[in-house]
Amino acid sequence: MSFARKQSGPAIGLALSGGFARGIAHIGVLKVLDEENIPISFVAGSSVGAFIGAIYCAGASAREIEQIAGNVRRRHFARLAISRFGFFSNHRMITFLNKILKVKTFEELEIPLAITATEISNGAGVVFRSGPLAEAVRASCAYPGVFPPVDMDGRMLVDGGLAYPVPVQPVSEMGSERIIAVHLRKRSGFGGPRNLLDIVAKSFAIAQQRSGFLWQSISDLIVEPEIRQFRYDDFDRTAELVRAGETAMRAALPNLIHWFEKKQDPEIVETFTQGYVPGVL
Protein backbone atom coordinates (compact mmCIF):
# COMPACT_ATOMS: atom_id res chain seq x y z
CA MET A 1 0.00 0.00 0.00
CA SER A 2 1.36 3.40 -0.93
CA PHE A 3 1.83 5.73 2.00
CA ALA A 4 0.88 8.87 0.06
CA ARG A 5 -2.39 7.34 -1.17
CA LYS A 6 -3.64 7.37 2.41
CA GLN A 7 -2.38 10.70 3.65
CA SER A 8 -1.78 14.14 2.24
CA GLY A 9 1.29 15.90 3.54
CA PRO A 10 3.43 19.01 3.26
CA ALA A 11 4.11 20.86 0.02
CA ILE A 12 7.18 19.00 -1.24
CA GLY A 13 9.75 20.68 -3.45
CA LEU A 14 12.15 18.69 -5.63
CA ALA A 15 15.57 20.15 -6.54
CA LEU A 16 17.33 18.44 -9.47
CA SER A 17 21.04 19.06 -10.00
CA GLY A 18 23.08 18.99 -13.20
CA GLY A 19 25.22 16.16 -14.54
CA PHE A 20 24.79 15.94 -18.34
CA ALA A 21 23.98 12.31 -19.32
CA ARG A 22 24.33 11.23 -15.70
CA GLY A 23 21.26 13.33 -15.00
CA ILE A 24 19.24 10.43 -16.42
CA ALA A 25 19.41 9.13 -12.84
CA HIS A 26 16.81 11.81 -11.99
CA ILE A 27 14.29 9.74 -13.93
CA GLY A 28 14.75 6.84 -11.52
CA VAL A 29 14.03 9.15 -8.60
CA LEU A 30 10.86 10.38 -10.32
CA LYS A 31 9.77 6.81 -11.08
CA VAL A 32 9.81 5.89 -7.40
CA LEU A 33 7.97 9.06 -6.40
CA ASP A 34 5.34 8.33 -9.06
CA GLU A 35 4.97 4.68 -8.05
CA GLU A 36 4.49 5.64 -4.40
CA ASN A 37 2.06 8.46 -5.27
CA ILE A 38 4.17 10.99 -3.42
CA PRO A 39 2.92 14.37 -4.64
CA ILE A 40 5.46 16.95 -5.75
CA SER A 41 4.26 20.54 -5.43
CA PHE A 42 7.28 22.38 -6.87
CA VAL A 43 10.34 21.53 -8.96
CA ALA A 44 13.58 23.43 -9.59
CA GLY A 45 16.25 22.27 -12.00
CA SER A 46 19.79 23.18 -13.00
CA SER A 47 21.22 22.06 -16.35
CA VAL A 48 20.00 18.53 -17.14
CA GLY A 49 17.81 18.82 -14.03
CA ALA A 50 16.02 21.68 -15.79
CA PHE A 51 15.68 19.57 -18.94
CA ILE A 52 14.11 16.60 -17.15
CA GLY A 53 12.16 18.81 -14.77
CA ALA A 54 10.54 20.67 -17.66
CA ILE A 55 9.34 17.47 -19.31
CA TYR A 56 7.99 16.14 -16.01
CA CYS A 57 6.25 19.35 -14.99
CA ALA A 58 4.69 19.57 -18.45
CA GLY A 59 2.75 16.38 -17.72
CA ALA A 60 4.92 13.46 -18.80
CA SER A 61 5.19 10.52 -16.42
CA ALA A 62 8.58 9.25 -15.29
CA ARG A 63 8.11 6.13 -17.44
CA GLU A 64 7.41 8.28 -20.49
CA ILE A 65 10.56 10.31 -19.79
CA GLU A 66 12.51 7.04 -19.47
CA GLN A 67 11.36 6.02 -22.94
CA ILE A 68 12.45 9.37 -24.34
CA ALA A 69 15.84 9.14 -22.63
CA GLY A 70 16.41 5.66 -24.04
CA ASN A 71 16.38 7.11 -27.56
CA VAL A 72 18.29 10.34 -26.89
CA ARG A 73 21.81 10.83 -28.18
CA ARG A 74 24.00 13.93 -28.20
CA ARG A 75 23.19 14.62 -31.85
CA HIS A 76 19.58 15.29 -30.94
CA PHE A 77 20.45 18.53 -29.13
CA ALA A 78 24.03 19.39 -30.14
CA ARG A 79 25.73 20.10 -33.45
CA LEU A 80 29.47 20.56 -33.99
CA ALA A 81 29.99 24.26 -34.60
CA ILE A 82 33.38 25.41 -33.32
CA SER A 83 33.48 29.04 -32.28
CA ARG A 84 35.46 31.17 -29.86
CA PHE A 85 32.84 30.40 -27.19
CA GLY A 86 32.34 26.64 -27.56
CA PHE A 87 32.65 23.50 -29.65
CA PHE A 88 28.96 22.79 -30.19
CA SER A 89 25.78 24.68 -30.94
CA ASN A 90 22.77 23.72 -28.83
CA HIS A 91 20.10 25.33 -31.02
CA ARG A 92 18.85 21.83 -31.81
CA MET A 93 17.69 21.58 -28.22
CA ILE A 94 14.88 24.04 -28.96
CA THR A 95 13.56 21.85 -31.79
CA PHE A 96 13.93 18.71 -29.69
CA LEU A 97 12.14 20.21 -26.68
CA ASN A 98 9.32 21.62 -28.78
CA LYS A 99 8.69 18.11 -30.10
CA ILE A 100 8.46 16.42 -26.72
CA LEU A 101 7.11 19.14 -24.42
CA LYS A 102 3.34 19.21 -24.06
CA VAL A 103 3.39 22.96 -23.39
CA LYS A 104 5.45 25.96 -24.48
CA THR A 105 5.43 28.27 -21.46
CA PHE A 106 5.97 28.08 -17.70
CA GLU A 107 2.42 29.28 -17.15
CA GLU A 108 1.00 26.14 -18.81
CA LEU A 109 2.92 23.64 -16.68
CA GLU A 110 1.04 21.21 -14.44
CA ILE A 111 3.64 21.58 -11.66
CA PRO A 112 5.29 24.97 -10.96
CA LEU A 113 8.90 24.94 -12.15
CA ALA A 114 11.98 27.11 -11.61
CA ILE A 115 14.90 26.89 -14.05
CA THR A 116 18.30 28.27 -13.15
CA ALA A 117 21.08 29.82 -15.21
CA THR A 118 24.23 31.82 -14.48
CA GLU A 119 25.07 35.24 -15.90
CA ILE A 120 28.64 34.82 -17.10
CA SER A 121 29.52 38.54 -16.92
CA ASN A 122 29.11 38.77 -13.15
CA GLY A 123 28.41 35.26 -11.85
CA ALA A 124 24.90 36.13 -10.72
CA GLY A 125 22.31 33.40 -10.47
CA VAL A 126 19.25 33.77 -12.70
CA VAL A 127 15.95 31.99 -12.03
CA PHE A 128 13.21 31.62 -14.66
CA ARG A 129 9.64 30.97 -13.57
CA SER A 130 7.63 32.52 -16.40
CA GLY A 131 7.71 32.97 -20.16
CA PRO A 132 8.98 30.64 -22.91
CA LEU A 133 10.12 27.30 -21.51
CA ALA A 134 12.51 25.82 -24.09
CA GLU A 135 14.84 28.82 -24.27
CA ALA A 136 15.22 28.86 -20.48
CA VAL A 137 16.14 25.17 -20.54
CA ARG A 138 18.71 25.81 -23.28
CA ALA A 139 20.33 28.55 -21.21
CA SER A 140 20.44 26.34 -18.12
CA CYS A 141 22.16 23.60 -20.15
CA ALA A 142 24.81 25.86 -21.74
CA TYR A 143 27.78 23.97 -20.30
CA PRO A 144 30.82 26.33 -20.47
CA GLY A 145 33.44 25.35 -22.99
CA VAL A 146 31.07 22.97 -24.75
CA PHE A 147 28.17 25.27 -25.63
CA PRO A 148 28.35 29.04 -26.11
CA PRO A 149 26.46 31.33 -23.72
CA VAL A 150 22.80 31.97 -24.53
CA ASP A 151 21.85 35.61 -25.04
CA MET A 152 18.53 36.35 -23.32
CA ASP A 153 17.41 39.96 -22.98
CA GLY A 154 21.00 41.17 -23.20
CA ARG A 155 22.29 38.76 -20.56
CA MET A 156 24.85 36.11 -21.51
CA LEU A 157 23.77 32.99 -19.69
CA VAL A 158 25.53 29.69 -19.04
CA ASP A 159 24.89 26.50 -17.07
CA GLY A 160 22.64 26.94 -14.03
CA GLY A 161 24.78 24.51 -12.07
CA LEU A 162 27.46 27.16 -11.57
CA ALA A 163 25.20 29.42 -9.51
CA TYR A 164 22.91 26.69 -8.19
CA PRO A 165 24.69 23.29 -8.04
CA VAL A 166 21.56 21.87 -6.43
CA PRO A 167 18.73 24.42 -6.77
CA VAL A 168 17.23 24.12 -3.30
CA GLN A 169 17.04 27.88 -2.74
CA PRO A 170 14.77 28.54 -5.77
CA VAL A 171 12.45 25.66 -4.87
CA SER A 172 12.34 26.87 -1.27
CA GLU A 173 11.34 30.35 -2.40
CA MET A 174 8.46 28.85 -4.40
CA GLY A 175 6.77 27.81 -1.16
CA SER A 176 8.09 24.32 -0.43
CA GLU A 177 7.55 23.12 3.12
CA ARG A 178 9.91 20.17 2.66
CA ILE A 179 12.68 19.79 0.09
CA ILE A 180 14.12 16.69 -1.57
CA ALA A 181 17.53 17.52 -3.07
CA VAL A 182 18.84 15.13 -5.73
CA HIS A 183 22.59 15.55 -5.85
CA LEU A 184 24.64 14.02 -8.66
CA ARG A 185 28.21 14.01 -7.43
CA LYS A 186 30.78 14.90 -10.06
CA ARG A 187 33.69 12.67 -11.08
CA SER A 188 36.29 15.09 -9.75
CA GLY A 189 38.98 12.59 -8.74
CA PHE A 190 42.58 13.60 -8.32
CA GLY A 191 45.43 14.33 -10.66
CA GLY A 192 45.68 16.49 -13.74
CA PRO A 193 42.96 16.85 -16.37
CA ARG A 194 43.17 14.98 -19.67
CA ASN A 195 41.42 17.54 -21.86
CA LEU A 196 39.34 20.72 -21.90
CA LEU A 197 36.16 18.93 -20.81
CA ASP A 198 38.03 17.46 -17.84
CA ILE A 199 39.10 20.96 -16.83
CA VAL A 200 35.52 22.21 -16.96
CA ALA A 201 34.16 19.16 -15.14
CA LYS A 202 36.75 19.43 -12.37
CA SER A 203 36.02 23.14 -12.04
CA PHE A 204 32.33 22.35 -11.55
CA ALA A 205 33.21 19.70 -8.96
CA ILE A 206 35.39 22.12 -7.00
CA ALA A 207 32.72 24.82 -7.08
CA GLN A 208 30.09 22.33 -5.95
CA GLN A 209 32.20 21.13 -3.04
CA ARG A 210 32.81 24.68 -1.84
CA SER A 211 29.15 25.65 -2.05
CA GLY A 212 27.85 22.41 -0.59
CA PHE A 213 27.05 23.65 2.89
CA LEU A 214 24.51 26.23 1.71
CA TRP A 215 22.29 23.91 -0.31
CA GLN A 216 22.67 21.04 2.13
CA SER A 217 21.58 23.22 5.04
CA ILE A 218 18.30 24.06 3.26
CA SER A 219 17.53 20.47 2.21
CA ASP A 220 15.31 18.18 4.27
CA LEU A 221 16.26 15.00 2.40
CA ILE A 222 19.33 14.48 0.21
CA VAL A 223 19.25 11.72 -2.39
CA GLU A 224 22.59 10.84 -4.00
CA PRO A 225 22.44 8.23 -6.77
CA GLU A 226 25.75 6.42 -7.22
CA ILE A 227 26.66 7.64 -10.71
CA ARG A 228 30.36 8.44 -10.42
CA GLN A 229 31.28 5.39 -12.51
CA PHE A 230 29.45 6.87 -15.51
CA ARG A 231 30.91 9.28 -18.04
CA TYR A 232 29.33 12.64 -18.81
CA ASP A 233 28.18 11.37 -22.25
CA ASP A 234 26.96 7.86 -21.32
CA PHE A 235 23.61 8.29 -23.04
CA ASP A 236 23.66 4.64 -24.12
CA ARG A 237 23.54 3.49 -20.46
CA THR A 238 20.08 4.85 -19.74
CA ALA A 239 18.77 1.72 -18.01
CA GLU A 240 21.71 1.62 -15.57
CA LEU A 241 21.44 5.31 -14.77
CA VAL A 242 17.70 5.10 -14.16
CA ARG A 243 18.28 2.10 -11.90
CA ALA A 244 20.85 4.07 -9.89
CA GLY A 245 18.27 6.78 -9.29
CA GLU A 246 15.62 4.24 -8.30
CA THR A 247 17.96 2.52 -5.85
CA ALA A 248 18.89 5.78 -4.12
CA MET A 249 15.29 6.98 -3.86
CA ARG A 250 14.05 3.61 -2.57
CA ALA A 251 16.69 3.70 0.15
CA ALA A 252 15.61 7.20 1.17
CA LEU A 253 11.85 6.55 1.15
CA PRO A 254 11.47 5.68 4.86
CA ASN A 255 12.74 9.14 5.75
CA LEU A 256 9.68 10.65 4.05
CA ILE A 257 7.44 8.99 6.63
CA HIS A 258 8.45 11.61 9.19
CA TRP A 259 6.86 14.28 7.02
CA PHE A 260 3.46 12.56 7.26
CA GLU A 261 3.57 10.79 10.61
CA LYS A 262 1.52 13.23 12.70
CA LYS A 263 -1.75 12.30 11.01
CA GLN A 264 -0.89 8.83 9.78
CA ASP A 265 -2.29 5.59 11.16
CA PRO A 266 0.62 3.60 12.68
CA GLU A 267 -0.49 0.45 10.81
CA ILE A 268 -0.14 2.27 7.49
CA VAL A 269 3.33 3.48 8.46
CA GLU A 270 4.35 -0.07 9.31
CA THR A 271 3.00 -1.37 5.99
CA PHE A 272 4.85 1.33 4.07
CA THR A 273 8.21 0.76 5.75
CA GLN A 274 8.20 -3.01 5.54
CA GLY A 275 10.88 -4.23 3.17
CA TYR A 276 12.75 -0.95 2.83
CA VAL A 277 16.26 -0.20 4.04
CA PRO A 278 16.40 3.18 5.78
CA GLY A 279 18.27 5.88 3.85
CA VAL A 280 20.56 8.53 5.26
CA LEU A 281 19.59 12.17 5.54
Side-chain angles (χ1 to χ4, degrees):
M1 182 180 294
S2 170
F3 179 78
R5 283 196 190 101
K6 300 294 292 184
Q7 177 64 55
S8 61
I12 298 175
L14 183 65
L16 303 176
S17 71
F20 213 54
R22 287 169 288 189
I24 292 170
H26 288 318
I27 301 171
V29 172
L30 293 171
K31 280 182 69 176
V32 173
L33 295 174
D34 277 359
E35 289 166 5
E36 298 298 333
N37 286 337
I38 295 173
I40 299 299
S41 299
F42 308 100
V43 177
S46 293
S47 197
V48 68
F51 186 91
I52 291 174
I55 302 172
Y56 186 70
C57 291
S61 69
R63 291 193 177 277
E64 288 174 324
I65 302 173
E66 184 179 15
Q67 292 177 346
I68 294 169
N71 296 316
V72 168
R73 296 295 181 267
R74 187 171 58 189
R75 67 178 182 275
H76 290 122
F77 54 84
R79 176 179 59 83
L80 184 65
I82 298 175
S83 72
R84 58 179 177 153
F85 291 130
F87 289 109
F88 295 90
S89 165
N90 62 359
H91 278 95
R92 286 182 179 176
M93 186 177 293
I94 299 294
T95 302
F96 182 71
L97 281 169
N98 284 334
K99 285 183 179 178
I100 60 177
L101 285 175
K102 298 180 180 181
V103 302
K104 305 301 180 186
T105 67
F106 282 85
E107 289 78 6
E108 299 172 273
L109 293 170
E110 293 186 8
I111 301 173
L113 172 69
I115 288 178
T116 71
T118 306
E119 191 168 356
I120 194 64
S121 63
N122 56 20
V126 177
V127 179
F128 294 97
R129 290 178 53 187
S130 63
L133 189 57
E135 192 68 9
V137 173
R138 186 168 79 96
S140 189
C141 294
Y143 199 79
V146 178
F147 300 116
V150 175
D151 186 350
M152 293 185 67
D153 298 323
R155 296 181 296 185
M156 300 298 286
L157 304 179
V158 296
D159 198 295
L162 282 171
Y164 298 99
V166 187
V168 295
Q169 184 175 343
V171 82
S172 174
E173 292 170 353
M174 295 171 80
S176 302
E177 296 172 312
R178 295 284 185 172
I179 297 175
I180 302 172
V182 187
H183 175 219
L184 304 179
R185 288 179 287 184
K186 305 293 189 294
R187 289 179 68 191
S188 55
F190 297 95
R194 296 169 300 171
N195 51 46
L196 174 61
L197 292 181
D198 262 3
I199 292 174
V200 177
K202 286 177 181 291
S203 298
F204 266 81
I206 292 168
Q208 189 174 91
Q209 289 170 1
R210 293 182 180 277
S211 64
F213 178 76
L214 176 60
W215 69 261
Q216 290 179 32
S217 67
I218 304 175
S219 306
D220 295 290
L221 178 65
I222 298 173
V223 180
E224 294 186 304
E226 184 48 71
I227 47 78
R228 287 176 292 179
Q229 69 272 31
F230 297 95
R231 292 177 55 83
Y232 76 96
D233 57 351
D234 272 340
F235 290 101
D236 57 345
R237 300 178 68 183
T238 293
E240 297 170 76
L241 283 161
V242 170
R243 189 158 52 247
E246 288 184 83
T247 299
M249 191 63 241
R250 286 280 174 200
L253 268 178
N255 292 290
L256 295 181
I257 296 172
H258 303 301
W259 303 356
F260 299 83
E261 267 181 344
K262 289 183 179 180
K263 299 180 181 179
Q264 183 60 45
D265 188 318
E267 292 182 5
I268 300 298
V269 173
E270 183 178 355
T271 300
F272 180 77
T273 57
Q274 190 173 21
Y276 288 118
V277 178
V280 178
L281 279 172

